[in-house]
Amino acid sequence: MATVFLSVVCVSVLGAAFSTCPHTIPGLRRWSHTSSWPGNRKPERDAKVVISDHILLDESPPELHSITIESRGRLVWSPDGDYNVTTKYILIKGQMDIGSEDCKFPARAHITLTGVRGTYKVTIGEHLFGEKFIGVAPGGTLELHGQEKLPWTKLTNTLPKLDVNHGLMYDHLTSKHKDDGSWKDGINAYIFDGKTGNFITFAAYYLGEYDKYHYKSDPTALASLINSTADGNVVMLAVKTNLVEPRVDLKPVYEATETLTQGRVTGSGLIRTVKKGDAYAMVIEKGKQDTLDEHVGVNYHLESQAAAASMTSWDNKLKFSVRSYVNNKHEYSDRVNFRVMTTAAAYPILDVIDDVTSWRPGDHIFITSTDYLWGQLETAIVRNCTTCHRNQVQIDLEAAYMHWGDMIDGVDERAEIGLLTRNILIQGRMENTCPPSNGNCDKFSYDTFGGHLEFVRGYKNVHIEGVELTRMGQQTEKGFYPIHFHMCHDIDKIGGYSDPAWIRQNSIHHSFSRCVTVHGSHGATVQDNVAYDHLGHCYFLEDGGEKRTVFDGNLGAATKHGSILPSDIENPATFWMTSPLVYLRNNVAAGGDGIGIWYVFPEEPQGPSYGLGFLQRDEARHTALLEFNNNVGHSNTHYGLFVDNKINPDDTTSSDNEYDPREQPLNRSSAQKEVLFYRFTGYKNRYQNGWIRGGLILMDHSSFADSGRGMTFANSIPSQTLTNSIIIGESRNLGDPTRHWDGHTWVYMPRSVPHEYDTHQPFVGFMIYDGPVHLKNVWFSGFKENINYTSGAIGFLRKDYYSINPTNTVMNAKFDFVDGHSTGNRVYDGNETVHGFGNADGDKTSAFRDLDGSVTGYPGSTVLKPGPFFHNARCYRRDNWNMEICPQRFGMLNLRLISTEDEDKSHPFAVRDDNPSARMDETWHASAGFPVTLGGDHSYTIHWNGKVPRAFELKGEGVEKGDWVRFGICFPRNGKFHFTMYYPVFRDDTGWVGHHWKQMSSVEELDRDTSGGAVYHDNTTGLWFFKYMNMKDRMENETESCPVRCPSIRFEVKSGDMNDGDCTSRAYGPYKRAPITGNNGLHASSLQVTSKDPPHGWGAGPTRPFETRTPPNGESGKWTSWSQCSQSCGGGLQTRTRSCNSVGSTEDCQRHHVEYRACNTAFCTSRLLG
């Protein structure tokens, strides 16, 4: 192995910033000239090349061991040819250039990184680069600038599935021959008329296993078929399972095939190379050898191998294609297929939203799934098209699935099309099978040790655009990714970089670990990239302390399970956001094995970032997101958007993010800060389109469609609001209709459903959970139930163990359907008798307030679960909702156990005084909530099935001024107690002067009390009676459960018989009340269409992939005028925008190009029932 040092220093050009093309820099020495190298000897194979001069790469050198560019060295690619470099690694201490920002590289430049894990490790000081890399060391510069090409676009017309209605003339898998000879391992053969595409004959030949009845006759029979076929006919062959069996003489087959494809027996036919288990496919028009297409899928003992071949007769406007697929694990999965189709169907012209003239024939693209299964994504090749307009592209694709291309009532479900091919290519060279040194062959049968790019702290410059990276990333361990900013600290202007780093318009595909990683680095811009087919999280913030990161206009698809982190295994996310200090806009997570966009924070930065002061402990969970605008999540296995969980020190995730943003994140007592999720679009996510835990949350102008669970807010602190949005249950996008086995026969659904293994899962548009949650200005469509599943526009979290807050509200809801079983349900919530529903504590307490009557027709009414505990003479049951509608406001008596030793020993139940037999039992799984009417219509008592708990707290949710409730609690008679009230007044009998409980002589006197701190004790029954009330008016835009604070009391039992907790036999009679009458009660009414179309401006609208960012004169654009307020009252939103130049001094504009402000905040009192 030779080491070549080149160290002629040209000081005059070192470190200069050139605005011209780098290959024109004076003094560059040509790689191809021997005089450029010591001893007049160019680097030979396996050389360790060390560059200390300025070199112009103007040829493809032999495969090298490595290239090290020293601090005064520079390697510049020449654009005069297409050059390749193959090496183990490139270490950059100086500079490497392939083009420049204003001189895009026009030729092809290919870098192949080689090596098997464990042969060496490169370390520079504290920086580990490892193996198989391009590394930018301190002081180094990497400038890669490929040709400008549109990174991705969207369809504007639907691409139909190739079927009998769309150009498919013959398909073996749906033909009467699909099972003919399917048991025969060997070759399937078809003959078609080359002019008409008509079927002539089919036969299966038993060649791949020894069989005494066929081993002699079948090879001869196949040869006879081939030899006897007339010229002009199309011959198609495919291997089924296996071709080669030593006892079967294939000589007749080989000779006939060579005569067919080469005109004579040559002994060199490709079919002779087929080995045991190989896939093989061939097609040819007999008599025209130049029409031959044949391929072998070599059996590397991976999971499977495949081969495909095709032939197009342009004169006859026909395409013939054949495919062979061999599965090494499950022979029953082996299959062949033969198809004939029209050229119009085989080479469709796509209509797209952007100018795609930069895409060239031969470029590879992918089209995302627009259905529940992300695997419906398909790859294609761009063809030359002389008739296409600027917004059209012709492709080579036999579409196996439909790809949607239309807007649907304000929801953009149009498929994305991503470009994979770039003229600068960086790739890893892989072994055919998994090398044992990888250490993960038990998980991956193939080699996952790809190349990687790494930039470390102190680099001088990094800008990468227009580059294709494939077979990059290393699944073998943490830290080695296709593109990786590693512990660089501040890399924007704050860090002294006049031209901050960016990664833009690149194609990253078939990656073995992630896509773009920002690790311990602040101020990176990741823009307009395309990522496809990667293991583990894709766009990745690593430690949770990263700040000022911009993710803008990126597309990610085919996110697969990895093994680096537990979350890679369980729920890989296309966007893994571990810090709130990120600008996330214009991105699309277009399908994968887990989650589209996942915000999940550690308590403090982890890994190498721990202790560096990037964020303090708990700062992340108290910090609002910098920006969330115009992002999309679709076709993901679990969630489109998920804001929940936290990262533990061992890299696992656990539930409840405790997200509670504050104006001053390090001051827990500072005011809560609203977090805006603006213009999110979620559709066709299999489990749920969106889930957000925490608050104060505002989700505005968003669109949801086609998911069993549309959107859920969880654990509001203090409240969460969805406004100006669109929710569609089932849209016109029918997808690929689901087929499932019911145990007896195949059942064919009229459309796709989220889970083929459970076709009875309910559809719910918005799921109310925890609370308080508020819906305002939301349009609903497509919630018609059917024989397979129930459906409802508004529903509740199912099988919920946590009581739901009764102060959830809906205002100005719109529906495009007449309410009814056969037309659609505005609301639906089932019980344990309905598939998918349960009867847990939370299921019993489902409720919300219809503030303006836009749901029920009755302003101020409450929608809640039916049952004798809630029902009164003024309510009515709406059968198609399985819910009850009552005119009263409801609150909740919410019990929280304090004495943990009483867990599973105390089970509370409540009794309504006018109907003691209608008690409500709670298991007290986490808390116990009893919905109660407010205003005095009813009163209640609480008792214990089991022991009386020693300490608990009772909170009055939803209690407002004028709305009060009286309740009694059963305690041991003659016991001793300590009761402390915290609100609305302080009461405590342990020495607080002036704060003693006010003793009443009867419940009637207690009902008349206005102090808020009175109590009545009846020792005979063991009941202590209290009255919850609120002294404060609800302020404008106050959305919490109660104005200022909800009344609450802490109860402690000091002594007494703890088994004396059921007072019902003693309480009723003296405290049994007469039921209220039905005067002024509600009754069933017709609920008609309220808005056939979504109101103007509601929903996210079109989600164009990226907006132009270059205003006139290349400077920051001026702010537009403020938009019209989205609401006339009740709190609306105005926006304004400016366009930005992504280069130069407009960094602030890039990070701050959309502004929002509240407007018309006065409460809509005219809409409310008093």
Side-chain angles (χ1 to χ4, degrees):
M1 180 188 301
T3 301
V4 180
F5 293 91
L6 184 59
S7 57
V8 179
V9 180
C10 302
V11 178
S12 61
V13 296
L14 275 179
F18 290 93
S19 60
T20 58
C21 298
H23 66 278
T24 65
I25 296 171
L28 288 174
R29 301 166 67 88
R30 291 184 175 271
W31 186 297
S32 62
H33 291 182
T34 57
S35 60
S36 299
W37 302 98
N40 292 322
R41 292 183 61 184
K42 294 192 298 182
E44 299 174 350
R45 181 179 178 85
D46 207 30
K48 294 181 177 180
V49 179
V50 180
I51 297 175
S52 297
D53 195 9
H54 294 181
I55 292 293
L56 180 70
L57 185 79
D58 62 342
E59 68 174 8
S60 297
E63 182 171 330
L64 304 171
H65 176 278
S66 58
I67 299 174
T68 300
I69 305 171
E70 294 291 358
S71 59
R72 294 193 174 191
R74 188 169 188 175
L75 180 62
V76 178
W77 242 256
S78 170
D80 295 334
D82 299 336
Y83 303 125
N84 306 325
V85 167
T86 302
T87 183
K88 294 181 185 298
Y89 66 84
I90 301 175
L91 178 61
I92 304 170
K93 304 175 185 177
Q95 182 162 340
M96 187 169 84
D97 309 79
I98 305 180
S100 66
E101 187 174 359
D102 55 359
C103 184
K104 301 296 191 292
F105 191 74
R108 287 190 176 92
H110 288 186
I111 300 174
T112 301
L113 300 172
T114 66
V116 176
R117 181 176 185 248
T119 55
Y120 64 93
K121 276 189 179 178
V122 175
T123 302
I124 304 295
E126 63 181 312
H127 307 296
L128 172 65
F129 290 99
E131 306 169 85
K132 209 171 181 178
F133 66 87
I134 298 176
V136 183
T141 293
L142 179 62
E143 298 286 346
L144 304 179
H145 302 271
Q147 291 177 339
E148 286 197 29
K149 286 187 171 186
L150 184 77
W152 56 285
T153 186
K154 294 173 76 93
L155 288 176
T156 58
N157 281 315
T158 296
L159 172 64
K161 174 181 178 178
L162 180 64
D163 57 22
V164 293
N165 298 314
H166 300 97
L168 182 62
M169 300 170 59
Y170 189 92
D171 183 271
H172 170 73
L173 295 179
T174 59
S175 74
K176 64 181 182 180
H177 299 292
K178 68 173 182 174
D179 296 321
D180 293 354
S182 59
W183 53 275
K184 294 182 178 181
D185 295 353
I187 281 184
N188 284 197
Y190 266 93
I191 309 296
F192 290 96
D193 186 307
K195 291 184 178 180
T196 64
N198 291 337
F199 168 82
I200 295 177
T201 190
F202 164 80
Y205 299 94
Y206 204 12
L207 310 174
E209 284 191 20
Y210 178 77
D211 180 272
K212 64 181 181 180
Y213 301 106
H214 299 89
Y215 82 100
K216 287 185 177 180
S217 60
D218 275 23
T220 303
L222 174 56
S224 176
L225 175 71
I226 294 172
N227 294 331
S228 63
T229 296
D231 286 354
N233 288 340
V234 175
V235 180
M236 304 169 76
L237 307 178
V239 165
K240 165 70 167 58
T241 304
N242 180 48
L243 174 62
V244 179
E245 195 341 288
R247 290 170 291 180
V248 178
D249 183 7
L250 295 178
K251 181 179 178 181
V253 176
Y254 293 155
E255 292 181 349
T257 303
E258 288 175 350
T259 302
L260 173 68
T261 60
Q262 301 180 48
R264 60 187 178 87
V265 177
T266 63
S268 62
L270 184 65
I271 194 172
R272 292 182 187 265
T273 69
V274 176
K275 302 295 189 295
K276 186 175 180 62
D278 287 354
Y280 172 75
M282 187 274 288
V283 59
I284 190 172
E285 180 182 335
K286 190 170 183 182
K288 293 185 178 180
Q289 295 166 17
D290 59 349
T291 63
L292 170 68
D293 189 29
E294 63 177 336
H295 297 278
V296 174
V298 178
N299 180 11
Y300 291 116
H301 303 287
L302 304 178
E303 182 174 322
S304 62
Q305 49 276 348
S310 66
M311 186 202 81
T312 302
S313 173
W314 292 103
D315 290 340
N316 298 310
K317 299 180 180 180
L318 296 173
K319 181 180 179 181
F320 303 83
S321 72
V322 55
R323 179 175 172 83
S324 166
Y325 173 83
V326 179
N327 189 295
N328 295 323
K329 294 183 178 180
H330 307 293
E331 186 174 326
Y332 59 79
S333 296
D334 295 347
R335 59 185 178 272
V336 296
N337 199 18
F338 303 82
R339 302 174 109 186
V340 182
M341 67 212 76
T342 65
T343 52
Y347 303 103
I349 293 176
L350 308 182
D351 296 309
V352 298
I353 63 176
D354 294 293
D355 183 338
V356 288
T357 53
S358 60
W359 294 1
R360 310 307 303 162
D363 284 351
H364 288 248
I365 64 171
F366 66 89
I367 307 174
T368 62
S369 168
T370 52
D371 207 345
Y372 294 109
L373 300 178
W374 69 262
Q376 294 183 16
L377 176 152
E378 300 187 79
T379 57
I381 300 174
V382 175
R383 287 186 49 81
N384 183 46
C385 180
T386 58
T387 62
C388 290
H389 301 296
R390 302 178 70 85
N391 287 53
Q392 291 180 316
V393 59
Q394 188 173 32
I395 60 173
D396 182 351
L397 174 65
E398 298 173 27
Y401 306 98
M402 178 269 291
H403 299 270
W404 192 259
D406 297 314
M407 291 288 297
I408 305 174
D409 294 325
V411 182
D412 193 345
E413 295 195 14
R414 298 174 295 178
E416 296 83 18
I417 308 172
L419 176 70
L420 297 176
T421 305
R422 295 286 182 169
N423 66 311
I424 300 176
L425 171 67
I426 302 174
Q427 62 183 344
R429 188 167 70 190
M430 313 308 296
E431 301 299 305
N432 291 328
T433 59
C434 179
S437 60
N438 281 4
N440 63 0
C441 298
D442 58 328
K443 302 181 182 72
F444 304 96
S445 60
Y446 53 93
D447 188 4
T448 59
F449 189 71
H452 71 102
L453 271 63
E454 183 176 346
F455 326 126
V456 300
R457 188 177 187 185
Y459 73 76
K460 186 175 181 180
N461 264 317
V462 169
H463 302 98
I464 300 177
E465 63 179 336
V467 177
E468 178 182 351
L469 299 104
T470 186
R471 300 192 292 277
M472 300 289 282
Q474 297 172 3
Q475 188 63 205
T476 51
E477 57 210 296
K478 285 184 181 180
F480 304 107
Y481 314 121
I483 298 177
H484 181 195
F485 290 95
H486 179 71
M487 299 306 298
C488 299
H489 293 233
D490 295 311
I491 56 175
D492 51 9
K493 290 183 179 178
I494 293 176
Y497 286 86
S498 59
D499 188 8
W502 38 256
I503 307 296
R504 67 189 187 196
Q505 296 190 9
N506 302 291
S507 299
I508 306 161
H509 61 94
H510 298 91
S511 162
F512 301 119
S513 185
R514 320 225 181 283
C515 307
V516 179
T517 294
V518 179
H519 182 195
S521 306
H522 318 305
T525 294
V526 181
Q527 180 176 298
D528 297 346
N529 298 284
V530 167
Y532 160 64
D533 195 347
H534 41 271
L535 299 179
H537 307 309
C538 179
Y539 298 101
F540 183 72
L541 298 180
E542 187 148 352
D543 283 347
E546 294 77 20
K547 297 183 285 190
R548 306 186 303 279
T549 313
V550 176
F551 289 102
D552 190 344
N554 301 287
L555 170 63
T559 302
K560 298 178 179 179
H561 293 292
S563 64
I564 300 295
L565 297 176
S567 51
D568 288 318
I569 299 170
E570 298 164 1
N571 269 316
T574 305
F575 292 86
W576 170 263
M577 302 289 100
T578 61
S579 168
L581 297 176
V582 60
Y583 300 87
L584 195 71
R585 55 178 178 253
N586 307 318
N587 302 287
V588 177
D593 287 336
I595 296 170
I597 302 169
W598 190 355
Y599 283 95
V600 56
F601 312 140
E603 290 184 345
E604 56 188 320
Q606 300 185 165
S609 299
Y610 177 79
L612 296 182
F614 294 160
L615 287 174
Q616 300 301 312
R617 185 176 181 85
D618 288 334
E619 185 176 356
R621 74 181 183 92
H622 293 309
T623 299
L625 308 184
L626 289 181
E627 182 182 1
F628 182 99
N629 183 8
N630 190 33
N631 297 297
V632 180
H634 71 85
S635 307
N636 294 284
T637 301
H638 294 137
Y639 298 87
L641 170 65
F642 189 64
V643 185
D644 202 354
N645 293 5
K646 55 187 173 186
I647 304 172
N648 301 316
D650 62 356
D651 289 329
T652 61
T653 58
S654 55
S655 61
D656 196 346
N657 58 10
E658 300 178 327
Y659 190 45
D660 181 20
R662 300 284 166 165
E663 291 288 347
Q664 301 172 37
L666 297 179
N667 180 3
R668 180 67 177 82
S669 62
S670 66
Q672 290 178 309
K673 186 170 184 177
E674 185 176 78
V675 180
L676 175 63
F677 289 84
Y678 186 64
R679 293 188 65 210
F680 173 68
T681 296
Y683 70 91
K684 295 284 186 178
N685 294 290
R686 296 187 72 186
Y687 185 76
Q688 186 156 9
N689 280 329
W691 170 287
I692 299 177
R693 182 184 295 275
L696 189 67
I697 301 294
L698 174 63
M699 177 165 268
D700 185 34
H701 283 88
S702 295
S703 297
F704 309 87
D706 293 304
S707 180
R709 299 167 176 86
M711 182 66 209
T712 302
F713 288 150
N715 195 32
S716 318
I717 311 171
S719 67
Q720 298 164 316
T721 301
L722 175 68
T723 187
N724 306 319
S725 294
I726 291 170
I727 300 179
I728 299 175
E730 294 182 293
S731 74
R732 299 193 308 275
N733 178 2
L734 301 182
D736 193 38
T738 297
R739 183 186 75 157
H740 74 98
W741 180 258
D742 69 355
H744 305 285
T745 186
W746 286 105
V747 177
Y748 294 84
M749 308 286 287
R751 61 183 300 138
S752 63
V753 296
H755 303 287
E756 68 277 7
Y757 51 82
D758 186 357
T759 57
H760 302 295
Q761 278 291 316
F763 271 74
V764 180
F766 187 90
M767 298 182 73
I768 296 174
Y769 177 41
D770 289 341
V773 168
H774 307 290
L775 275 67
K776 182 169 59 176
N777 307 334
V778 180
W779 183 80
F780 295 94
S781 173
F783 290 96
K784 181 180 177 181
E785 63 186 57
N786 56 53
I787 60 172
N788 292 301
Y789 44 83
T790 60
S791 186
I794 301 171
F796 304 86
L797 189 76
R798 303 191 289 271
K799 301 180 181 179
D800 178 15
Y801 291 99
Y802 299 86
S803 300
I804 290 178
N805 193 299
T807 63
N808 302 302
T809 67
V810 179
M811 174 182 276
N812 198 29
K814 303 286 187 181
F815 304 89
D816 81 334
F817 53 86
V818 175
D819 184 76
H821 280 294
S822 62
T823 51
N825 299 317
R826 292 187 175 188
V827 181
Y828 185 81
D829 193 37
N831 53 40
E832 69 272 23
T833 68
V834 181
H835 184 84
F837 293 87
N839 193 39
D841 287 358
D843 299 318
K844 302 172 189 175
T845 60
S846 302
F848 69 86
R849 295 175 178 176
D850 183 10
L851 295 183
D852 60 350
S854 57
V855 179
T856 64
Y858 292 104
S861 62
T862 300
V863 179
L864 70 166
K865 267 298 182 60
F869 185 79
F870 309 112
H871 179 77
N872 62 70
R874 296 176 186 168
C875 306
Y876 87 93
R877 175 174 175 143
R878 196 162 187 93
D879 289 335
N880 64 302
W881 297 4
N882 193 38
M883 298 293 282
E884 196 145 271
I885 304 172
C886 299
Q888 298 94 343
R889 284 184 184 269
F890 277 72
M892 179 176 287
L893 297 178
N894 201 324
L895 285 159
R896 183 178 65 87
L897 185 66
I898 297 173
S899 52
T900 55
E901 66 270 20
D902 291 321
E903 286 184 4
D904 299 322
K905 298 176 183 178
S906 300
H907 300 285
F909 65 91
V911 174
R912 204 174 78 192
D913 290 347
D914 64 324
N915 187 8
S917 63
R919 70 185 234 177
M920 180 177 180
D921 289 87
E922 291 279 66
T923 62
W924 209 336
H925 173 79
S927 62
F930 300 103
V932 294
T933 57
L934 303 174
D937 277 355
H938 301 101
S939 53
Y940 304 83
T941 57
I942 295 174
H943 310 264
W944 312 97
N945 181 12
K947 291 184 176 295
V948 178
R950 297 184 181 277
F952 62 93
E953 182 182 8
L954 189 146
K955 186 177 181 181
E957 303 277 3
V959 176
E960 304 189 26
K961 190 174 182 179
D963 286 336
W964 58 274
V965 61
R966 186 244 296 165
F967 60 93
I969 302 180
C970 182
F971 286 109
R973 289 165 288 179
N974 300 315
K976 293 185 178 181
F977 316 100
H978 178 206
F979 306 147
T980 305
M981 172 178 273
Y982 298 100
Y983 192 80
V985 293
F986 183 76
R987 289 288 183 265
D988 192 297
D989 282 337
T990 57
W992 291 88
V993 177
H995 294 288
H996 293 283
W997 285 96
K998 184 178 179 182
Q999 299 290 333
M1000 299 285 105
S1001 60
S1002 67
V1003 291
E1004 290 77 15
E1005 185 181 7
L1006 179 62
D1007 287 347
R1008 294 191 295 269
D1009 177 72
T1010 59
S1011 70
V1015 61
Y1016 169 63
H1017 178 217
D1018 180 353
N1019 190 55
T1020 302
T1021 62
L1023 288 168
W1024 288 75
F1025 293 93
F1026 303 86
K1027 178 182 179 181
Y1028 271 168
M1029 56 192 298
N1030 203 315
M1031 312 297 192
K1032 301 294 184 180
D1033 289 311
R1034 183 175 290 276
M1035 302 299 290
E1036 184 178 289
N1037 290 334
E1038 192 171 12
T1039 56
E1040 293 86 346
S1041 293
C1042 305
V1044 182
R1045 191 173 172 183
C1046 291
S1048 63
I1049 301 174
R1050 178 189 173 101
F1051 298 90
E1052 295 180 68
V1053 182
K1054 300 294 187 180
S1055 66
D1057 181 2
M1058 306 305 286
N1059 293 309
D1060 186 18
D1062 184 351
C1063 303
T1064 52
S1065 63
R1066 302 187 294 269
Y1068 304 103
Y1071 298 109
K1072 187 177 187 305
R1073 294 178 57 174
I1076 63 173
T1077 67
N1079 295 337
N1080 301 316
L1082 308 184
H1083 57 273
S1085 60
S1086 174
L1087 298 174
Q1088 298 296 312
V1089 172
T1090 54
S1091 181
K1092 189 61 181 173
D1093 300 307
H1096 178 71
W1098 289 18
T1103 57
R1104 292 184 65 86
F1106 39 84
E1107 304 164 353
T1108 178
R1109 300 182 178 90
T1110 306
N1113 303 320
E1115 298 177 354
S1116 300
K1118 295 181 179 180
W1119 288 106
T1120 63
S1121 300
W1122 288 103
S1123 68
Q1124 183 178 351
C1125 190
S1126 60
Q1127 295 302 314
S1128 59
C1129 62
L1133 198 71
Q1134 289 177 292
T1135 62
R1136 66 176 184 172
T1137 62
R1138 58 176 173 174
S1139 53
C1140 307
N1141 187 337
S1142 61
V1143 183
S1145 60
T1146 58
E1147 182 180 0
D1148 176 68
C1149 181
Q1150 280 293 298
R1151 302 181 187 284
H1152 181 213
H1153 72 286
V1154 181
E1155 283 191 340
Y1156 315 90
R1157 72 179 184 187
C1159 54
N1160 295 341
T1161 57
F1163 204 58
C1164 302
T1165 54
S1166 62
R1167 296 183 182 177
L1168 307 183
L1169 181 69

